[in-house]
Amino acid sequence: MSDNLQKNNLRRVVVDRKPRIIEGLAKLHGKHLKISDYYGENVFDFRVVKGLSEKIKREMLECIRAGMVIPREYVDLVADAAKEWAIGKGATHFCHWFQPLTGYSAEKQDSFLTLTKDNGPIEELSASALIQGEPDASSFPHGGARTTFEARGYTIWDLTSPMFLREEGNGKILCIPTAFVSYNGEALDVKTPLLRSVSKLSEEAVKFFNLVGDMDVNHVTVTCGAEQEYFLIDKAFYYERPDLVMTGRTLLGSMAAKNQQLSDHYFGQVTERVIAFMQELDHEMYRLGIPSKTRHNEVAPGQFEVAQIFRDANLASDNNQIVMALIGNIAEKHDMVALLHEKPFSGINGSGKHLNWSLSDNLGRNLLDPGDEPQRNHVFLAICSIVVEAFNRHSELLRTSIATHGNDHRLGGHEAPPSIMSVFLGETLDKIYKSILKGDTFKPLDNNQLDLRANQLASLLKDNTDRNRTSPFAFTGNRFEFRAVGSSQPIGFPLSILNAAVTDVLKQSCEIIEKELNTGKKVDDALLTVIRGWMENSSKVVFNGDGYSDDWVKEAGIRGLPNLKTSADAYPVLTDGQKTSFLVETGVFSRKELETRYNVLVERYNTCRLIEFKTMVSMIDQYVIPSGIQYKKGLLDILKLQDELEVDRCVEFDIYCKLTGYMDELHRKTCDLKKELAEMVEDESKRSFHVAHKLVPLSEQIACLCDSVEDVIPDELWKLPKYFDMLFLR
Ligand code: ADP
Ligand code: MG
């Protein structure tokens, strides 16, 4: 009875919550501010600040571009300007902000305080403190890259990502984006390989353009826009679910009768409590110079998305890291908890992070924009075919780049593309390539206007691609969208691999073009040779049908496409000398760094899974079995009474037998799992396979049995918040 009361109270508390309305938000002296009035107010970018002369800015940018050392006196000036700006805004501390291989950002804070010779307190940020830090970093994952006696790690200022001010608790901190490397210069982070990959790609792309006669191109940027999905649940329920607190997802839980069948949540009106959250989130993003653009409900109940205007990949990657942290912090202020896990609830959609990817040159042209007549645009068709071939050639490694224990639940689920990597091109492009391969010239589709049969609506130019949502890598009109990326993972890793893959094929394309031109061919014909070569080679990876269907899995098998179903199957690709040689050749990763990543990922996978198993076992012991026993006791009392009174027993006995059946099996399987956990093999690699192929399936069977028990037990005896609570009460 008291349990029931407690649960009902919890529901009351949640239902009665009011939206968090912040009176002064985006206002000054009571007057509304425009976004542009406060956009970027918490960002310090030396490229645009007022206190620094244009000459210095120009020279510094030139140094960055050429990879030269920046004169110390310039760094002094920047450090001083940054400090003045930050303390003017109330900051007391600064930190080197970096992304180790934990999946989160990390930092070590230092105050600006220094003492003068005669012990007077002053504020200071020296050039050396700006450029380089030396966190005692021995406890960050390094996968064997550092022995403990040599555990030094360095953080190094990334000049291409602006500093920003974080407001937290009772103060403000100036965050300096940095790379994190070992004593020997090995990358221990996500950023370093990403920076290498964008430079390398630019180098090869410039070569490509100069070869085809476009001499004005001297720099190519990777552009990226990440669409971040997440769930929001009330914090009262969250803290009553040990699985959510410990692992970020529900390890058991019976589906509510209504979930997403009606698709009524997708793009539905956002409730007031959630919109208040989204407004605060956007507001903070704007202040941090993060160009938030789109916000909406996603498919599953309680699921939402935020997307920003695309920008250079390194910045987009840093921004996404900040956005994930912001979502979590702001949700708490609204008495909610944000779940960034790829699959917080089984049976409904999980969360991904669509990575929109393109290239843009120094003239501001999007290199994946087909223009009005794509069939004439040989350069566009060549670049596009290069990306397709890159995906084809390095599909296994790209699969590996998105492999996490969380994403394993999502890939191949009903909402996400399978672990088979394929490319969607859409009808128009597909036809163009096919006709090129046949040697024909392509006739454009004559009617690009979409007939909506409603004259009140402005006529729309039909997208040259339809929207295929089931492909892991889709061309969407003027960019590619890598959809298999998980919601919680830093985007830097998949971005580095994708960039390196494209660089690899670009490099080879340049060689082909050069050869063709040397034999006296025209540029367009040389480009056609490239297009034909790559499209012929990669035809097996192009798939325009339904990627969620079982037929596709069969078809992909016939085509010989790899299907690395679990992360454990995917990680070993990182240690395959042949499959990773392009990463070493392009200089994006060294062999040692790949080994590091392999070790870190496998260990992380195993650790996360073991935490899940242990949490599951404990929840069964603490909640599921005791609730079952309690209900059985009540049923036995009635059965005994019925026997004494000699009345018919029917329902009670039925329920009793059913419940006993489930509980017995649950108990048996849980004992099996406990035994397995006590006898785990030491070797991390062997362990990951055992976990992925034996223990995860076993835990899924156990979860099903828990759900059967939950379905039988009355609500008042079930102590854990249910899917119904978490997904629908807000
Ligand atoms: P959809 O729901 O159709 O995927 P959204 O508007 O939610 O569209 O997201 C599209 C994302 O693609 C945005 O983040 C946008 O900035 C990004 N994007 C658009 N053009 C490019 C481009 N050229 N390069 C990289 N990203 C892009
Ligand atoms: Mg979207």
Side-chain angles (χ1 to χ4, degrees):
M1 188 60 193
S2 66
D3 290 330
N4 192 29
L5 236 174
Q6 200 237 341
K7 198 151 153 188
N8 281 337
N9 280 344
L10 221 55
R11 287 177 179 156
R12 252 288 60 86
V13 166
V14 171
V15 172
D16 287 345
R17 281 210 218 273
K18 298 278 172 288
R20 170 176 146 99
I21 304 296
I22 308 163
E23 263 317 312
L25 194 80
K27 280 188 197 157
L28 189 67
H29 309 308
K31 280 184 79 179
H32 286 285
L33 295 173
K34 302 193 290 289
I35 296 174
S36 55
D37 291 334
Y38 55 92
Y39 183 82
E41 70 177 18
N42 276 347
V43 174
F44 179 88
D45 188 345
F46 78 83
R47 291 169 288 199
V48 294
V49 289
K50 292 205 181 74
L52 229 52
S53 82
E54 291 307 313
K55 177 174 168 284
I56 293 180
K57 285 179 197 166
R58 224 179 18 251
E59 286 183 28
M60 282 185 65
L61 287 175
E62 191 43 43
C63 288
I64 298 173
R65 214 186 56 76
M68 282 165 4
V69 178
I70 296 174
R72 187 45 81 110
E73 59 273 25
Y74 288 5
V75 183
D76 267 325
L77 288 172
V78 175
D80 215 46
K83 177 205 71 186
E84 285 303 320
W85 173 81
I87 58 179
K89 286 194 162 271
T92 51
H93 287 65
F94 68 94
C95 72
H96 275 197
W97 180 86
F98 57 103
Q99 297 169 37
L101 301 175
T102 53
Y104 305 97
S105 58
E107 63 195 35
K108 184 181 137 214
Q109 301 181 6
D110 280 298
S111 74
F112 289 115
L113 178 72
T114 312
L115 299 179
T116 58
K117 273 196 217 92
D118 37 359
N119 268 337
I122 53 159
E123 275 80 16
E124 190 186 76
L125 175 63
S126 66
S128 56
L130 170 61
I131 293 181
Q132 186 176 316
E134 194 191 327
D136 174 20
S138 49
S139 2
F140 288 113
H142 52 80
R146 287 173 302 159
T147 41
T148 26
F149 60 84
E150 186 210 78
R152 259 186 293 183
Y154 294 110
T155 51
I156 299 158
W157 178 30
D158 170 13
L159 288 94
T160 55
S161 184
M163 299 175 219
F164 57 95
L165 206 63
R166 234 179 37 221
E167 300 176 347
E168 249 165 35
N170 295 314
K172 298 183 187 185
I173 306 138
L174 173 70
C175 299
I176 303 164
T178 54
F180 179 45
V181 299
S182 77
Y183 183 71
N184 298 322
E186 277 143 13
L188 295 171
D189 67 345
V190 174
K191 185 189 274 285
T192 308
L194 176 59
L195 289 174
R196 292 175 187 153
S197 76
V198 292
S199 309
K200 211 58 206 172
L201 202 159
S202 175
E203 214 174 279
E204 291 301 333
V206 168
K207 222 183 275 169
F208 173 92
F209 278 99
N210 294 352
L211 266 177
V212 303
D214 210 335
M215 305 310 283
D216 293 334
V217 178
N218 60 30
H219 187 78
V220 168
T221 313
V222 176
T223 55
C224 172
E227 302 167 51
Q228 178 71 49
E229 292 179 341
Y230 58 93
F231 278 84
L232 289 176
I233 70 167
D234 194 279
K235 83 170 181 205
F237 296 135
Y238 174 83
Y239 287 108
E240 294 291 317
R241 292 280 314 205
D243 46 2
L244 283 181
V245 176
M246 302 302 286
T247 73
R249 75 175 174 107
T250 56
L251 300 171
L252 48 101
S254 174
M255 199 55 241
K258 172 180 178 238
N259 44 68
Q260 60 188 42
Q261 306 97 318
L262 300 175
S263 291
D264 49 355
H265 191 257
Y266 192 46
F267 284 179
Q269 189 169 356
V270 184
T271 61
E272 205 173 347
R273 206 172 148 208
V274 172
I275 195 73
F277 157 82
M278 288 178 167
Q279 285 157 341
E280 189 174 351
L281 174 64
D282 274 346
H283 183 74
E284 288 308 318
M285 284 170 75
Y286 295 141
R287 296 178 72 210
L288 285 163
I290 304 175
S292 178
K293 183 76 180 167
T294 309
R295 59 190 190 201
H296 61 80
N297 283 1
E298 258 302 328
V299 176
Q303 191 187 27
F304 309 92
E305 180 185 298
V306 59
Q308 65 187 70
I309 298 173
F310 68 94
R311 54 201 339 200
D312 124 66
N314 176 43
L315 199 48
S317 162
D318 281 359
N319 282 176
N320 183 249
Q321 226 36 52
I322 301 173
V323 169
M324 287 196 284
L326 273 182
I327 291 175
N329 294 343
I330 294 172
E332 289 258 356
K333 293 186 185 167
H334 290 252
D335 292 320
M336 294 188 284
V337 173
L339 306 174
L340 292 179
H341 192 285
E342 283 75 14
K343 196 78 178 179
F345 303 98
S346 66
I348 55 170
N349 276 18
S351 300
K353 181 146 52 194
H354 294 177
L355 216 65
N356 294 271
W357 182 97
S358 190
L359 298 170
S360 127
D361 66 14
N362 51 303
L363 307 171
R365 295 178 296 194
N366 177 359
L367 305 182
L368 284 172
D369 197 333
D372 295 337
E373 288 171 287
Q375 75 285 4
R376 291 234 197 96
N377 194 334
H378 288 81
V379 171
F380 159 74
L381 289 173
I383 299 272
C384 199
S385 73
I386 286 168
V387 180
V388 176
E389 169 62 5
F391 205 83
N392 171 49
R393 196 181 289 181
H394 302 300
S395 69
E396 282 181 274
L397 210 57
L398 282 154
R399 159 68 181 102
T400 307
S401 77
I402 48 128
T404 62
H405 71 287
N407 218 9
D408 279 3
H409 295 281
R410 187 178 149 259
L411 298 178
H414 53 82
E415 78 287 7
S419 21
I420 306 164
M421 295 290 116
S422 67
V423 180
F424 169 86
L425 284 177
E427 201 189 316
T428 316
L429 258 188
D430 203 42
K431 275 194 183 151
I432 294 174
Y433 282 127
K434 285 208 172 105
S435 70
I436 289 178
L437 284 182
K438 274 203 308 206
D440 300 346
T441 46
F442 174 77
K443 287 202 193 61
L445 304 173
D446 33 281
N447 190 1
N448 256 358
Q449 208 87 341
L450 196 65
D451 184 7
L452 294 171
R453 286 189 292 281
N455 296 333
Q456 307 90 317
L457 302 175
S459 58
L460 299 171
L461 201 63
K462 190 176 169 187
D463 244 336
N464 258 342
T465 56
D466 41 3
R467 294 295 196 131
N468 182 313
R469 292 264 160 210
T470 64
S471 176
F473 197 65
F475 181 71
T476 49
N478 59 5
R479 61 189 187 269
F480 277 93
E481 194 168 330
F482 193 9
R483 301 214 181 98
V485 181
S487 50
S488 69
Q489 78 172 118
I491 58 176
F493 187 45
L495 270 175
S496 318
I497 305 276
L498 180 56
N499 295 342
V502 173
T503 306
D504 177 43
V505 184
L506 253 175
K507 185 161 181 276
Q508 220 184 333
S509 306
C510 287
E511 287 159 14
I512 296 171
I513 294 171
E514 206 163 5
K515 220 156 115 203
E516 292 281 285
L517 293 179
N518 283 342
T519 64
K521 281 214 179 135
K522 286 207 202 79
V523 168
D524 276 357
D525 292 328
L527 286 169
L528 275 175
T529 310
V530 167
I531 297 169
R532 268 195 218 102
W534 298 149
M535 291 319 288
E536 223 156 71
N537 220 32
S538 58
S539 63
K540 66 173 185 297
V541 87
V542 176
F543 177 66
N544 290 318
D546 179 5
Y548 293 179
S549 69
D550 293 336
D551 285 349
W552 168 231
V553 179
K554 278 190 219 122
E555 157 92 23
I558 296 168
R559 292 188 187 189
L561 295 181
N563 186 359
L564 301 167
K565 286 211 178 88
T566 72
S567 294
D569 304 313
Y571 294 142
V573 180
L574 286 168
T575 60
D576 184 318
Q578 215 183 342
K579 287 175 188 157
T580 53
S581 61
F582 75 103
L583 291 175
V584 180
E585 277 155 28
T586 51
V588 174
F589 288 95
S590 69
R591 283 255 164 268
K592 188 84 190 282
E593 287 166 351
L594 287 169
E595 199 184 303
T596 299
R597 267 132 197 95
Y598 170 76
N599 290 337
V600 169
L601 285 168
V602 172
E603 203 184 308
R604 207 176 137 72
Y605 174 84
N606 289 338
T607 309
C608 291
R609 285 300 192 203
L610 289 194
I611 294 173
E612 286 186 351
F613 299 145
K614 285 179 184 161
T615 307
M616 178 177 229
V617 164
S618 132
M619 284 174 77
I620 290 167
D621 289 346
Q622 301 291 316
Y623 295 90
V624 183
I625 297 285
S627 296
I629 290 175
Q630 201 183 345
Y631 188 35
K632 275 172 77 169
K633 182 172 175 301
L635 288 169
L636 277 179
D637 287 347
I638 295 175
L639 289 172
K640 204 167 128 207
L641 205 61
Q642 283 170 340
D643 272 355
E644 277 168 25
L645 300 175
E646 291 179 11
V647 292
D648 274 353
R649 44 147 80 162
C650 171
V651 187
E652 297 80 3
F653 188 64
D654 240 28
I655 299 176
Y656 182 85
C657 293
K658 213 162 148 188
L659 181 57
T660 303
Y662 294 142
M663 283 176 62
D664 284 355
E665 207 182 337
L666 174 61
H667 179 65
R668 230 176 318 115
K669 291 227 150 84
T670 309
C671 287
D672 289 348
L673 182 57
K674 283 181 185 167
K675 192 157 167 286
E676 289 278 358
L677 292 179
E679 298 167 355
M680 292 299 280
V681 285
E682 279 298 317
D683 180 84
E684 295 280 358
S685 157
K686 283 193 190 125
R687 184 182 275 202
S688 71
F689 283 105
H690 188 64
V691 164
H693 296 293
K694 181 129 191 241
L695 302 195
V696 170
L698 176 61
S699 74
E700 276 162 0
Q701 290 167 16
I702 293 176
C704 272
L705 287 163
C706 288
D707 297 351
S708 301
V709 173
E710 181 182 338
D711 284 339
V712 174
I713 289 182
D715 187 53
E716 63 173 49
L717 295 183
W718 191 257
K719 298 204 174 81
L720 296 163
K722 295 185 160 187
Y723 270 29
F724 160 78
D725 300 308
M726 295 182 279
L727 294 174
F728 293 100
L729 303 189
R730 209 170 290 102

